[in-house]
Amino acid sequence: MTATLAPSAGTAAPVPPAPTRSRGELVALAALLVGTAVLYLWDLGASGFANSYYAAAVQSMTQSWKAFLFGSLDAGNAITVDKPPASLWVMALSARIFGFSPWSMLVPQALMGLGSVALIHAAVRRVSGPVAGLLAGAVLALTPVAVLMFRFNNPDALLVLLMVAAAYATVRAIERAGTRWLLLAGVLIGFAFLTKMAQAFLVLPAFVSAYLVCAPTGLWRRVRQLLGAAVAVVVSAGWYVALVELWPAQSRPYIGGSEDNSLLELALGYNGLGRIFGGDGNGGGAHPTDLPTPTGAPAGELTAIGGPGGGGGFGGTPGIGRMFNDTAGGQVSWLLPAALALLVAGLWLTRRAPRTDPTRASLLLWGGWTVVTALVFSFAQGTFHEYYTVALAPPIAALVAIGGRELWRHRASWAARAALAVVVAGTAAWAWVLLGRSPDFLPWLRWAVVALAVVAVVAVLVPGAATRRIAALAALVAVLSGIAAPVAYALDTAGTAHTGSTPSAGPAVSGGRGGAGGDGGAMPAGAPTADGQDARGAGPDGGPGFPGAGGGPGGAVTADAELVAALRGAGTRWAAATVGAQQGGGLALASGTTVMSIGGFTGSDPAPTLEQFQAHVAAGEVRYFLAGGGFGGGGRVDLPGGTAAAPGTTAQEGAAGSSGAQDGRSGPGGRGGPGSAISAWVEQNFAPVSIGGQLVYDLKQPIG
């Protein structure tokens, strides 16, 4: 009689062990992981230093342990990047061990992608078996925006790895109401916060609801466990916030992106609620033609910053269709409609399952992640870039695998076969639309996808009594019809060099962006890199550029050997100072020296103040001041209409006006930085000279 008793409220229900691995599965898994590694590592150095903003910070972190701790843009520790430094720690440790280079910086990113694929395979396999696990891993690996970000140096690679790892830990916790697994999930989310702040918390509603509904233990124990996990999140994220807040402000760098030199304010403001609701410090989904431009300039012409076309890196107008628009659609949405449909189908098929059913738990977890993240991204009024959608790649991959497997298991039912046919046909129709936005890219592929879908639909609709051969054909062709188009985009992405701060996966799309990164895309060449080598391509204005240039935000500016030699011979704490990190980062990378980026990313942060800069100059700590700067500026700012503005305050204000409209951090309606005041003071007190065609002020040579 006791054998029939249900487990007590505090006892976890027995869970079947994960299926053992056959030799065939091990071979398939090895092929998946090796293929992913090749895709992410092949010709990885082609993008040079990729985003020079983060690359300059990584370089500074190899030169100063204080810069390492805080994520400083420069080894002189004037200002930090506008994100916490967790992702930079990984790249900087690699660079300290192997020497600073594009490869030492980017290989950890690629390995994070490999780890994400392995973890999502493991999480899905535990619930839906080896075939579904392999499919989930392959879909994630081949999502175009995932290929982009796992070959790039933005923080998103580590963010995705940590969120997928937390999802895996939550799946393990749900199996047996395991407290340790749940606490581990909390720790991982805390460190994800130290990677990209509030975005890490978008998965929490899904994780909490899945555990609260499905964990095999009593309600109050589930609540207590979740409270413990919340403490783990706070501790693993809060230790660093507390360290920065308690550190004397005068002995650490200014916290870039914040309004009052506070990491907590940065988390709550610019990188928190500001992303959702917009406001000062956060732009929004404006198209370039909607942005303010200098007087007399054609609408949308932003030549001062390298002028990305189309979506301008802001993902289009906020609304329910943002994930499917011209700029964001080709990044991640290929299988998004299928994932949502399969989520609904899976929940319907498991509606009569026990509360603790692991399949339904996983559907709630991955489905909640997808829905919450997609809605927040779609309606965010603050800064949004298309590459943020990499956070949707893991849950879409998991839903396609888990939901598809559930429908396939029930294919004996006419309704299940009809649902599968609708999903296959709908996915092919959406691929037809997305491929039509790149009409010059493999025009035959649209017809191939349609042909595969027709065969798959016919095979799927064959009654369940059909032979196993037909069933296998149906499954194979259905998968091929769904992934053929994103695979083509993924391969194009892997074969294209990407630079700047707003990269975009896939080929160029009509009315949007794409191709080589969305910032102009040109690969620079001829300029010496930090290790003395030459980079590829041509820099903006036809001159030599720095590695990782694209002529736009986060890319590089022009320089030549004479300027680089002058910076290397400066012998001061900062070899040079310039307004904004766009020029400053490129100069630091080209010369291997320390360059102060006044005002941080766009030049809009209030650091250093004019008085602080004057004190640094009086102490002999800054040798040169480079005119121009601003958001992607150089020594010469080309305003719309072809007029070259004179270097100095006017030029910088012109650059800041355009860049502020583009980024939402300065310019009309945004907060201004100290650049104009410092530029004016330098111009009044120091004589300009030309070094390598760049207007430079020698701060050791005052006028008179």
Side-chain angles (χ1 to χ4, degrees):
M1 186 167 113
T2 56
T4 63
L5 294 177
S8 65
T11 304
V15 177
T20 57
R21 298 182 188 273
S22 66
R23 179 176 299 179
E25 182 194 351
L26 291 174
V27 171
L29 177 58
L32 171 64
L33 297 180
V34 171
T36 300
V38 171
L39 181 65
Y40 291 172
L41 291 168
W42 186 265
D43 199 22
L44 188 60
S47 294
F49 287 117
N51 187 342
S52 66
Y53 178 64
Y54 292 118
V58 172
Q59 176 177 266
S60 76
M61 294 163 74
T62 66
Q63 300 167 342
S64 162
W65 283 110
K66 179 181 280 191
F68 181 92
L69 176 62
F70 292 106
S72 299
L73 272 170
D74 59 277
N77 291 292
I79 192 169
T80 72
V81 298
D82 58 5
K83 300 290 186 297
S87 67
L88 301 175
W89 287 338
V90 179
M91 291 184 280
L93 282 174
S94 175
R96 279 185 173 269
I97 295 170
F98 300 106
F100 179 62
S101 70
W103 268 88
S104 67
M105 180 180 66
L106 295 176
V107 165
Q109 305 290 92
L111 296 180
M112 291 173 195
L114 186 64
S116 299
V117 170
L119 283 168
I120 199 169
H121 161 267
V124 172
R125 180 185 182 276
R126 295 192 70 84
V127 172
S128 297
V131 174
L134 291 167
L135 178 59
V139 171
L140 172 57
L142 294 167
T143 300
V145 71
V147 176
L148 172 69
M149 297 316 296
F150 290 130
R151 294 172 57 90
F152 208 72
N153 62 332
N154 280 19
D156 300 76
L158 181 59
L159 176 70
V160 169
L161 173 64
L162 291 170
M163 291 194 300
V164 173
Y168 173 79
T170 304
V171 168
R172 295 296 304 268
I174 291 173
E175 288 179 352
R176 293 182 172 84
T179 301
R180 285 180 293 182
W181 281 110
L182 197 62
L183 293 177
L184 175 60
V187 170
L188 292 166
I189 291 299
F191 275 94
F193 175 87
L194 296 182
T195 302
K196 214 175 177 190
M197 291 193 156
Q199 187 179 336
F201 292 163
L202 294 183
V203 300
L204 287 179
F207 292 5
V208 170
S209 61
Y211 192 84
L212 191 61
V213 170
C214 302
T217 188
L219 174 61
W220 291 114
R221 183 167 184 260
R222 280 174 269 157
V223 171
R224 291 195 301 271
Q225 288 174 314
L226 286 170
L227 290 175
V231 172
V233 172
V234 172
V235 171
S236 59
W239 70 270
Y240 184 76
V241 176
L243 182 150
V244 174
E245 293 299 300
L246 295 174
W247 197 289
Q250 65 272 17
S251 66
R252 62 162 171 79
Y254 184 91
I255 304 302
S258 70
E259 296 186 4
D260 59 3
N261 199 13
S262 165
L263 187 65
L264 184 60
E265 188 276 328
L266 178 65
L268 297 175
Y270 175 65
N271 285 329
L273 296 178
R275 297 281 172 164
I276 299 175
F277 300 110
D280 185 24
N282 263 283
H287 190 279
T289 55
D290 301 325
L291 300 173
T293 53
T295 303
E301 188 170 348
L302 301 174
T303 55
I305 60 166
F314 280 84
T317 303
I320 194 64
R322 179 184 261 182
M323 295 298 97
F324 306 96
N325 66 18
D326 288 346
T327 57
Q331 307 299 299
V332 78
S333 76
W334 301 89
L335 296 174
L336 178 55
L340 296 174
L342 291 169
L343 169 63
V344 173
L347 291 175
W348 175 259
L349 292 172
T350 58
R351 68 192 184 280
R352 293 191 177 93
R355 177 183 65 81
T356 57
D357 180 64
T359 299
R360 183 169 56 201
S362 284
L363 288 170
L364 290 174
L365 187 152
W366 300 107
W369 178 345
T370 302
V371 171
V372 171
T373 301
L375 287 176
V376 171
F377 284 173
S378 294
F379 291 97
Q381 301 295 313
T383 303
F384 171 78
H385 297 300
E386 296 97 329
Y387 67 81
Y388 293 177
T389 59
V390 69
L392 284 169
I396 289 174
L399 288 176
V400 167
I402 297 171
R405 183 250 191 181
E406 287 305 299
L407 273 183
W408 187 252
R409 286 178 59 229
H410 292 81
R411 66 186 182 278
S413 161
W414 170 255
R417 293 201 305 276
L420 277 171
V422 169
V423 169
V424 171
T427 300
W430 181 234
W432 175 277
V433 172
L434 290 176
L435 289 170
R437 295 173 180 174
S438 305
D440 297 328
F441 177 73
L442 303 180
W444 55 266
L445 184 58
R446 301 175 80 189
W447 298 102
V449 169
V450 169
L452 287 169
V454 169
V455 173
V457 168
V458 171
V460 163
L461 291 177
V462 171
T467 65
R468 282 178 167 269
R469 194 169 295 177
I470 293 178
L473 173 66
L476 176 61
V477 179
V479 170
L480 289 177
S481 68
I483 68 171
V487 165
Y489 262 53
L491 294 176
D492 177 84
T493 302
T496 303
H498 292 84
T499 61
S501 63
T502 56
S504 182
V509 296
S510 56
R513 302 188 302 121
D519 292 333
M523 284 301 297
T529 65
D531 59 2
Q533 302 300 312
D534 287 345
R536 300 188 296 118
D541 302 333
F546 300 150
V557 294
T558 57
D560 68 1
E562 184 181 356
L563 177 59
V564 168
L567 295 178
R568 289 176 175 172
T572 50
R573 179 179 179 183
W574 290 280
T578 189
V579 178
Q582 310 316 314
Q583 180 170 229
L587 289 169
L589 291 171
S591 62
T593 63
T594 300
V595 177
M596 178 189 295
S597 297
I598 297 169
F601 182 51
T602 61
S604 62
D605 292 332
T609 64
L610 174 60
E611 292 74 18
Q612 290 171 332
F613 185 78
Q614 289 172 332
H616 289 310
V617 173
E621 294 179 326
V622 188
R623 178 61 188 271
Y624 299 109
F625 180 86
L626 279 77
F631 199 66
R636 178 178 182 273
V637 179
D638 294 325
L639 298 178
T643 303
T649 304
T650 302
Q652 291 179 46
E653 289 173 347
S658 294
S659 66
Q662 177 75 355
D663 184 75
R665 298 281 301 282
S666 59
R671 73 174 188 263
S676 294
I678 290 174
S679 299
W681 176 75
V682 169
E683 290 176 4
Q684 292 167 7
N685 292 277
F686 300 90
V689 296
S690 178
I691 302 178
Q694 170 76 54
L695 187 67
V696 174
Y697 294 85
D698 188 340
L699 301 184
K700 289 192 174 182
Q701 300 294 327
I703 296 174

